[in-house]
Amino acid sequence: SIGNSAALRQLSRRLEAAGHAEEVAELVLSLAGELFQWEAACLVLYSAPQERLVPLLAFETLEGKRSRVPPSKLPRVPTPVLRKVLQEGTPLLTGLAPGSAASAADGAQPLSGTGCRMLVPIHGEGGIMGALWVQSQRLDAYSREELDWLQVLADECGGALEHMKVVETLLAADAKYRSLAENATEGIFQTTPEGRLLEANPALARIFGYASAEEMIEAVSDVARQMYARPEQRLELLRLIAAQDS
Protein backbone atom coordinates (compact mmCIF):
# COMPACT_ATOMS: atom_id res chain seq x y z
CA SER A 1 0.00 0.00 0.00
CA ILE A 2 0.99 3.66 -0.32
CA GLY A 3 1.15 3.98 3.46
CA ASN A 4 3.43 0.97 3.81
CA SER A 5 5.73 2.26 1.06
CA ALA A 6 6.05 5.63 2.78
CA ALA A 7 6.82 3.94 6.09
CA LEU A 8 9.52 1.82 4.44
CA ARG A 9 11.15 4.86 2.86
CA GLN A 10 11.27 6.51 6.24
CA LEU A 11 12.73 3.34 7.75
CA SER A 12 15.47 3.26 5.11
CA ARG A 13 16.55 6.78 6.04
CA ARG A 14 16.60 5.94 9.74
CA LEU A 15 18.53 2.71 9.15
CA GLU A 16 21.22 4.64 7.30
CA ALA A 17 21.79 6.64 10.48
CA ALA A 18 21.73 3.61 12.83
CA GLY A 19 24.93 3.21 14.79
CA HIS A 20 24.74 -0.44 15.85
CA ALA A 21 22.94 -3.71 15.19
CA GLU A 22 20.61 -3.45 18.18
CA GLU A 23 19.39 -0.08 16.94
CA VAL A 24 18.64 -1.64 13.55
CA ALA A 25 16.61 -4.37 15.28
CA GLU A 26 14.69 -1.80 17.34
CA LEU A 27 13.80 0.24 14.25
CA VAL A 28 12.68 -2.81 12.28
CA LEU A 29 10.55 -4.32 15.05
CA SER A 30 9.06 -0.92 15.81
CA LEU A 31 7.84 -0.55 12.23
CA ALA A 32 6.68 -4.17 12.20
CA GLY A 33 4.56 -3.31 15.22
CA GLU A 34 2.96 -0.47 13.28
CA LEU A 35 2.33 -2.48 10.10
CA PHE A 36 1.24 -5.76 11.72
CA GLN A 37 -0.61 -6.44 14.95
CA TRP A 38 1.60 -8.73 17.02
CA GLU A 39 1.95 -9.99 20.58
CA ALA A 40 5.45 -11.38 20.10
CA ALA A 41 8.34 -10.66 17.75
CA CYS A 42 12.01 -11.54 17.39
CA LEU A 43 15.02 -10.76 15.22
CA VAL A 44 18.05 -13.07 15.25
CA LEU A 45 21.32 -13.39 13.35
CA TYR A 46 22.46 -16.77 12.06
CA SER A 47 25.76 -18.49 11.25
CA ALA A 48 25.22 -21.42 8.87
CA PRO A 49 28.67 -23.07 9.39
CA GLN A 50 28.17 -23.09 13.15
CA GLU A 51 24.37 -23.43 12.93
CA ARG A 52 24.18 -20.90 15.72
CA LEU A 53 21.81 -18.05 16.51
CA VAL A 54 22.64 -14.69 18.05
CA PRO A 55 19.40 -13.02 19.21
CA LEU A 56 19.37 -9.25 18.69
CA LEU A 57 15.97 -8.35 20.07
CA ALA A 58 12.76 -10.10 21.11
CA PHE A 59 9.46 -9.07 22.68
CA GLU A 60 6.55 -10.92 24.22
CA THR A 61 3.22 -9.81 25.67
CA LEU A 62 2.27 -11.06 29.11
CA GLU A 63 -0.92 -9.96 30.87
CA GLY A 64 -1.39 -7.24 28.28
CA LYS A 65 2.09 -5.74 28.76
CA ARG A 66 4.78 -5.93 26.08
CA SER A 67 8.28 -6.53 27.38
CA ARG A 68 11.69 -7.62 26.15
CA VAL A 69 12.65 -11.29 26.34
CA PRO A 70 15.97 -11.70 28.19
CA PRO A 71 18.74 -13.08 25.94
CA SER A 72 19.23 -15.98 28.37
CA LYS A 73 15.72 -17.25 27.49
CA LEU A 74 16.29 -17.21 23.72
CA PRO A 75 17.50 -20.21 21.71
CA ARG A 76 21.02 -20.44 20.34
CA VAL A 77 20.23 -23.29 17.94
CA PRO A 78 17.43 -23.10 15.32
CA THR A 79 14.30 -25.16 15.90
CA PRO A 80 13.06 -27.28 12.95
CA VAL A 81 10.58 -24.61 11.80
CA LEU A 82 13.16 -21.84 11.93
CA ARG A 83 15.78 -24.06 10.30
CA LYS A 84 13.45 -24.58 7.34
CA VAL A 85 13.19 -20.83 6.78
CA LEU A 86 16.94 -20.29 7.21
CA GLN A 87 18.01 -23.15 4.95
CA GLU A 88 15.45 -22.65 2.19
CA GLY A 89 15.46 -18.87 2.35
CA THR A 90 11.70 -18.58 1.85
CA PRO A 91 9.10 -16.88 4.07
CA LEU A 92 6.65 -19.00 6.03
CA LEU A 93 3.13 -18.26 7.28
CA THR A 94 1.92 -20.69 9.92
CA GLY A 95 -1.40 -21.03 11.76
CA LEU A 96 -1.47 -22.35 15.30
CA ALA A 97 -4.34 -24.67 16.03
CA PRO A 98 -6.55 -24.14 19.09
CA GLY A 99 -4.94 -25.58 22.19
CA SER A 100 -1.42 -25.50 20.75
CA ALA A 101 1.42 -23.44 22.14
CA ALA A 102 3.86 -21.56 19.93
CA SER A 103 6.93 -19.75 21.09
CA ALA A 104 7.25 -16.00 20.95
CA ALA A 105 10.86 -16.38 19.93
CA ASP A 106 10.70 -20.01 18.81
CA GLY A 107 12.10 -21.02 22.14
CA ALA A 108 11.20 -18.20 24.53
CA GLN A 109 7.98 -17.86 26.50
CA PRO A 110 5.03 -19.50 24.68
CA LEU A 111 1.81 -17.94 23.53
CA SER A 112 -0.96 -20.45 24.12
CA GLY A 113 -4.27 -20.79 22.31
CA THR A 114 -4.96 -19.95 18.69
CA GLY A 115 -2.56 -17.82 16.74
CA CYS A 116 -0.72 -17.01 13.55
CA ARG A 117 2.97 -16.45 12.87
CA MET A 118 5.02 -15.02 10.00
CA LEU A 119 8.68 -16.01 9.64
CA VAL A 120 10.98 -14.53 7.01
CA PRO A 121 14.71 -14.86 6.29
CA ILE A 122 17.05 -11.88 6.40
CA HIS A 123 19.14 -11.90 3.24
CA GLY A 124 22.70 -10.62 2.98
CA GLU A 125 25.24 -10.58 0.18
CA GLY A 126 26.72 -13.85 1.41
CA GLY A 127 23.40 -15.64 1.90
CA ILE A 128 20.95 -15.92 4.79
CA MET A 129 22.19 -13.86 7.71
CA GLY A 130 19.24 -14.13 10.07
CA ALA A 131 15.49 -14.28 10.52
CA LEU A 132 12.61 -12.06 11.57
CA TRP A 133 9.26 -13.22 12.86
CA VAL A 134 6.09 -11.82 14.37
CA GLN A 135 3.24 -13.64 16.04
CA SER A 136 -0.38 -12.84 16.84
CA GLN A 137 -2.85 -14.69 19.01
CA ARG A 138 -5.48 -14.41 16.25
CA LEU A 139 -5.55 -17.38 13.89
CA ASP A 140 -6.41 -15.20 10.86
CA ALA A 141 -4.12 -12.30 11.80
CA TYR A 142 -1.94 -12.32 8.68
CA SER A 143 -2.27 -12.70 4.93
CA ARG A 144 0.17 -13.62 2.16
CA GLU A 145 0.36 -9.95 1.22
CA GLU A 146 1.44 -9.07 4.75
CA LEU A 147 4.01 -11.87 4.61
CA ASP A 148 5.45 -10.24 1.48
CA TRP A 149 5.63 -6.88 3.27
CA LEU A 150 7.43 -8.46 6.22
CA GLN A 151 9.97 -9.90 3.79
CA VAL A 152 10.55 -6.43 2.35
CA LEU A 153 11.10 -5.20 5.89
CA ALA A 154 13.58 -8.02 6.53
CA ASP A 155 15.47 -7.19 3.34
CA GLU A 156 15.81 -3.57 4.48
CA CYS A 157 17.15 -4.89 7.76
CA GLY A 158 19.61 -7.19 5.96
CA GLY A 159 20.96 -4.31 3.91
CA ALA A 160 21.60 -2.23 7.01
CA LEU A 161 23.26 -5.10 8.88
CA GLU A 162 25.34 -6.06 5.85
CA HIS A 163 26.58 -2.50 5.67
CA MET A 164 27.73 -2.75 9.27
CA LYS A 165 29.41 -6.13 8.71
CA VAL A 166 28.19 -7.14 12.16
CA VAL A 167 27.38 -10.84 11.90
CA GLU A 168 30.88 -12.27 12.26
CA THR A 169 31.79 -9.66 14.86
CA LEU A 170 28.74 -10.38 16.99
CA LEU A 171 29.19 -14.14 16.76
CA ALA A 172 32.81 -13.89 17.82
CA ALA A 173 32.06 -11.43 20.61
CA ASP A 174 29.13 -13.54 21.85
CA ALA A 175 31.24 -16.71 22.00
CA LYS A 176 34.14 -14.90 23.70
CA TYR A 177 31.88 -13.21 26.24
CA ARG A 178 30.10 -16.43 27.16
CA SER A 179 33.37 -18.31 27.57
CA LEU A 180 34.78 -15.58 29.80
CA ALA A 181 31.58 -15.17 31.80
CA GLU A 182 31.00 -18.87 32.39
CA ASN A 183 34.57 -19.46 33.62
CA ALA A 184 35.17 -16.20 35.49
CA THR A 185 35.57 -16.10 39.26
CA GLU A 186 34.13 -12.57 39.31
CA GLY A 187 30.41 -11.92 39.16
CA ILE A 188 29.33 -10.68 35.72
CA PHE A 189 25.82 -9.50 34.95
CA GLN A 190 23.64 -7.48 32.60
CA THR A 191 20.55 -5.54 33.66
CA THR A 192 17.72 -3.44 32.30
CA PRO A 193 17.74 0.26 33.24
CA GLU A 194 14.75 -0.49 35.46
CA GLY A 195 16.79 -2.93 37.53
CA ARG A 196 15.89 -6.44 36.37
CA LEU A 197 18.62 -8.96 35.68
CA LEU A 198 18.95 -10.03 32.04
CA GLU A 199 21.99 -12.25 32.43
CA ALA A 200 24.21 -13.48 35.23
CA ASN A 201 27.17 -15.84 35.30
CA PRO A 202 27.60 -18.81 37.69
CA ALA A 203 30.11 -16.91 39.85
CA LEU A 204 27.62 -14.13 40.57
CA ALA A 205 25.00 -16.68 41.61
CA ARG A 206 27.47 -18.31 44.02
CA ILE A 207 28.47 -14.94 45.49
CA PHE A 208 24.84 -14.12 46.28
CA GLY A 209 23.95 -17.59 47.51
CA TYR A 210 21.80 -18.82 44.64
CA ALA A 211 21.91 -22.37 43.30
CA SER A 212 22.17 -21.21 39.69
CA ALA A 213 22.29 -18.13 37.49
CA GLU A 214 18.78 -18.92 36.26
CA GLU A 215 17.44 -18.93 39.81
CA MET A 216 19.07 -15.59 40.51
CA ILE A 217 17.68 -13.99 37.34
CA GLU A 218 14.18 -15.04 38.37
CA ALA A 219 14.60 -13.83 41.94
CA VAL A 220 16.19 -10.40 41.42
CA SER A 221 13.73 -7.68 40.41
CA ASP A 222 15.53 -4.66 41.87
CA VAL A 223 19.30 -4.71 41.33
CA ALA A 224 19.95 -1.60 43.43
CA ARG A 225 18.09 -2.91 46.45
CA GLN A 226 19.02 -6.59 46.20
CA MET A 227 22.63 -6.46 44.96
CA TYR A 228 24.22 -3.13 45.90
CA ALA A 229 25.71 -2.53 49.34
CA ARG A 230 25.05 1.15 48.60
CA PRO A 231 21.95 1.42 46.36
CA GLU A 232 22.75 5.08 45.57
CA GLN A 233 25.72 3.87 43.50
CA ARG A 234 23.27 2.32 41.06
CA LEU A 235 21.59 5.69 40.59
CA GLU A 236 24.95 7.32 39.98
CA LEU A 237 25.77 4.70 37.31
CA LEU A 238 22.47 5.36 35.54
CA ARG A 239 23.10 9.10 35.71
CA LEU A 240 26.54 8.71 34.10
CA ILE A 241 25.18 6.48 31.34
CA ALA A 242 22.45 8.98 30.56
CA ALA A 243 24.96 11.82 30.46
CA GLN A 244 27.67 10.02 28.45
CA ASP A 245 25.55 7.53 26.44
CA SER A 246 28.06 4.77 27.24
Side-chain angles (χ1 to χ4, degrees):
S1 69
I2 295 176
N4 288 357
S5 298
L8 286 171
R9 286 195 297 272
Q10 184 178 8
L11 174 66
S12 296
R13 291 192 292 270
R14 297 180 69 182
L15 288 177
E16 289 177 359
H20 51 81
E22 290 81 3
E23 186 178 356
V24 170
E26 289 174 358
L27 289 170
V28 170
L29 289 187
S30 176
L31 180 55
E34 296 176 18
L35 299 180
F36 320 106
Q37 182 68 38
W38 54 258
E39 282 75 46
C42 185
L43 196 155
V44 298
L45 297 181
Y46 174 63
S47 171
Q50 298 170 314
E51 203 177 48
R52 182 171 174 79
L53 301 175
V54 176
L56 279 185
L57 187 61
F59 290 96
E60 63 182 350
T61 303
L62 298 175
E63 298 180 352
K65 183 179 179 181
R66 182 177 294 175
S67 60
R68 292 196 180 202
V69 179
S72 60
K73 291 187 176 182
L74 295 168
R76 301 287 164 167
V77 178
T79 62
V81 172
L82 181 55
R83 187 177 292 111
K84 176 181 175 65
V85 172
L86 291 168
Q87 291 179 348
E88 298 180 7
T90 55
L92 183 63
L93 176 62
T94 63
L96 310 172
S100 67
S103 169
D106 226 32
Q109 295 299 318
L111 285 173
S112 59
T114 61
C116 187
R117 179 171 47 181
M118 297 191 291
L119 305 92
V120 296
I122 298 174
H123 297 100
E125 292 181 4
I128 306 299
M129 61 188 304
L132 165 66
W133 61 96
V134 298
Q135 182 175 314
S136 171
Q137 291 179 325
R138 292 190 298 110
L139 187 59
D140 60 347
Y142 308 124
S143 66
R144 285 288 168 181
E145 181 181 1
E146 288 174 309
L147 183 65
D148 292 340
W149 275 110
L150 187 64
Q151 183 63 71
V152 172
L153 194 57
D155 290 341
E156 289 284 343
C157 174
L161 293 175
E162 187 74 39
H163 178 70
M164 294 179 179
K165 301 293 183 183
V166 298
V167 178
E168 294 83 359
T169 302
L170 281 177
L171 285 167
D174 183 69
K176 181 178 180 180
Y177 164 77
R178 294 193 176 280
S179 177
L180 289 172
E182 290 297 314
N183 296 296
T185 57
E186 298 86 359
I188 300 174
F189 60 98
Q190 182 181 35
T191 80
T192 66
E194 294 75 25
R196 286 202 63 87
L197 273 179
L198 289 173
E199 296 195 61
N201 71 337
L204 188 77
R206 290 194 296 270
I207 290 170
F208 281 87
Y210 291 94
S212 67
E214 291 75 19
E215 179 183 313
M216 184 172 185
I217 290 171
E218 290 294 326
V220 175
S221 59
D222 186 341
V223 168
R225 182 175 58 83
Q226 293 175 267
M227 292 177 58
Y228 278 70
R230 293 172 53 200
E232 63 271 17
Q233 288 184 323
R234 168 75 176 182
L235 298 177
E236 176 64 10
L237 172 64
L238 294 176
R239 187 191 67 78
L240 289 172
I241 291 174
Q244 302 176 13
D245 198 31
S246 65

